Amino acid sequence: MRHKRLGKRLGRSSSHRKALFANMACALFLTERNPEDFEGLYQSDGVTPVKPPKFKGRIITTHAKAKELRPIVERCITIAKKALPHEQAARQFATDAPRNSEAWKRWRESENWKKWVAARAPAVALRRRAFAILRQKEAVRLLFDEIAPRMADRNGGYTRILKLATPRLGDAGNRAILELVGRFDRSQKSSQKPQFESEE
């Protein structure tokens, strides 16, 4: 019996389950890449090119895995949102000069660099917390730079699960879509009552 033990085991050991959820969360965040980033990428056979996803911010998996993955994805987005004010505060001390240029070297030795480091330190710590969960630098970069600013005005509920009608071929597993909210939301159109000539 597994009394008071949260989460499903999904028939896997703890390390296997942790790696599975990290890979699936990275797969969800990496769908936000630009189509140009997929050029030059090939499958494991070295011949088949990797195609960009048809829909950004969406993966298809089994319903049981989607329900277990959702809290992990939402926790990562919450961690990334906490870094937004620190990165905003650090921008006032940053420089636009190219790295290793003379202007950049002068900025590196100035007091503004120390203020920039002190202001950005909490954001760096939060990026390291997200990396401890995801274990992939590109996914962490997309999470902090693109997904978190988009979710800044939301207080939770960053993902949704949509059950698919057709089961998976092979084992007939129940499939579901796990997607980030905001892109495929339905527009709420206010229905206005028609005006009749007698009412005007």
Side-chain angles (χ1 to χ4, degrees):
M1 305 296 285
R2 299 182 69 245
H3 294 302
K4 295 186 178 182
R5 290 184 180 269
L6 298 177
K8 305 272 186 186
R9 291 175 63 177
L10 300 174
R12 291 165 172 82
S13 63
S14 297
S15 58
H16 187 178
R17 191 168 55 250
K18 186 177 179 181
L20 170 76
F21 290 146
N23 288 337
M24 289 178 69
C26 288
L28 178 63
F29 296 143
L30 289 175
T31 58
E32 296 286 336
R33 286 185 290 186
N34 295 324
E36 299 83 30
D37 296 338
F38 290 90
E39 295 178 2
L41 296 179
Y42 294 94
Q43 301 282 353
S44 58
D45 60 1
V47 178
T48 310
V50 177
K51 295 180 182 178
K54 191 180 288 186
F55 300 103
K56 288 188 172 185
R58 173 185 284 185
I59 59 170
I60 298 176
T61 182
T62 61
H63 189 234
K65 286 181 190 173
K67 285 167 67 176
E68 293 299 313
L69 177 63
R70 188 178 187 181
I72 296 169
V73 171
E74 302 223 353
R75 189 181 310 130
C76 290
I77 296 175
T78 303
I79 289 171
K81 278 179 59 179
K82 289 179 181 178
L84 291 176
H86 301 293
E87 291 181 349
Q88 183 69 28
R91 283 194 192 102
Q92 61 182 334
F93 305 113
T95 181
D96 296 331
R99 190 176 179 88
N100 292 330
S101 63
E102 291 298 325
W104 183 86
K105 289 177 181 177
R106 285 195 302 271
W107 170 77
R108 186 74 164 74
E109 296 170 358
S110 66
E111 287 294 321
N112 278 344
W113 179 77
K114 294 178 181 178
K115 293 177 182 177
W116 177 79
V117 169
R120 200 168 178 271
V124 173
L126 290 166
R127 282 181 185 256
R128 287 172 177 162
R129 277 184 61 193
F131 182 77
I133 298 171
L134 300 175
R135 308 304 296 175
Q136 201 169 37
K137 289 183 180 180
E138 182 68 15
V140 172
R141 185 189 65 78
L142 288 166
L143 172 65
F144 278 75
D145 296 346
E146 297 187 17
I147 297 171
R150 211 167 62 216
M151 304 289 183
D153 57 344
R154 285 186 177 270
N155 295 323
Y158 312 116
T159 57
R160 72 167 67 91
I161 296 175
L162 304 171
K163 293 176 76 172
L164 293 176
T166 56
R168 186 167 63 182
L169 292 176
D171 62 353
N174 294 326
R175 297 187 305 159
I177 294 173
L178 178 68
E179 67 179 13
L180 299 172
V181 299
R183 180 172 280 122
F184 304 107
D185 294 348
R186 295 178 182 173
S187 59
Q188 297 289 334
K189 295 182 180 178
S190 60
S191 57
Q192 295 180 350
K193 184 179 176 183
Q195 294 288 331
F196 297 101
E197 294 180 1
S198 60
E199 295 179 358
E200 292 179 355

